[in-house]
Amino acid sequence: QVQLVESGGGLVQAGGSLRLSCAVSGRTFSGYIMNWFRQAPGKEREFTAAISWSGGMTYYADSVKGRFTISRDNAKNTVYLQMNSLKPEDTAVYYCAVGRSIYDDAMDYWGKGTLITVSS
């Protein structure tokens, strides 16, 4: 059974940092892209960041570029999202997902999400 489990969420002040982790179990997704999406209160889910299987290619939403860094450790089957210079508008539930692209309708599996709250 495939599981994606996010951790590392919580409450942080604006300007602070957090690191999210997504542990994948059940199978190895060789060749797949690992993604982070987020959904703010009252808004639609949006793409945040993605990383290729090799880690050689990364993709970011313009809103997080330069502040967030995605990485992966295939030996641990884990993907990370380092979030720096957090802003109140980063408040959202962050979801880990795996698929063949960066589009949310093409994801094969999703985690249940972890809440990030950034206070001003």
Side-chain angles (χ1 to χ4, degrees), residues 15-68:
S17 298
L18 280 176
R19 189 176 84 151
L20 303 183
S21 299
C22 173
V24 182
S25 61
R27 61 167 283 190
T28 299
F29 289 93
S30 177
Y32 281 69
I33 297 173
M34 295 299 301
N35 297 265
W36 287 98
F37 292 84
R38 67 185 183 183
Q39 186 166 20
K43 295 187 177 181
E44 292 188 354
R45 186 168 58 199
E46 63 177 11
F47 168 78
T48 304
I51 188 166
S52 62
W53 169 253
S54 68
M57 296 291 290
T58 56
Y59 312 85
Y60 297 95
D62 288 342
S63 57
V64 307
K65 205 171 290 183
R67 300 187 298 121
F68 290 12

Side-chain angles (χ1 to χ4, degrees), residues 4-119:
L4 279 67
V5 179
E6 301 95 339
S7 61
L11 175 64
V12 63
Q13 287 189 333
S17 298
L18 280 176
R19 189 176 84 151
L20 303 183
S21 299
C22 173
V24 182
S25 61
R27 61 167 283 190
T28 299
F29 289 93
S30 177
Y32 281 69
I33 297 173
M34 295 299 301
N35 297 265
W36 287 98
F37 292 84
R38 67 185 183 183
Q39 186 166 20
K43 295 187 177 181
E44 292 188 354
R45 186 168 58 199
E46 63 177 11
F47 168 78
T48 304
I51 188 166
S52 62
W53 169 253
S54 68
M57 296 291 290
T58 56
Y59 312 85
Y60 297 95
D62 288 342
S63 57
V64 307
K65 205 171 290 183
R67 300 187 298 121
F68 290 12
T69 303
I70 189 171
S71 61
R72 68 191 296 168
D73 184 338
N74 289 338
K76 295 182 178 179
N77 241 7
T78 300
V79 63
Y80 305 96
L81 186 67
Q82 177 67 42
M83 305 183 294
N84 299 328
S85 302
L86 283 161
K87 305 174 181 179
E89 51 264 43
D90 294 318
T91 294
V93 177
Y94 284 72
Y95 298 91
C96 174
V98 59
R100 293 287 192 179
S101 76
I102 65 171
Y103 301 104
D104 63 357
D105 59 356
M107 294 299 110
D108 290 64
Y109 297 96
W110 290 86
K112 294 183 178 180
T114 186
L115 176 63
I116 304 295
T117 302
V118 184
S119 63

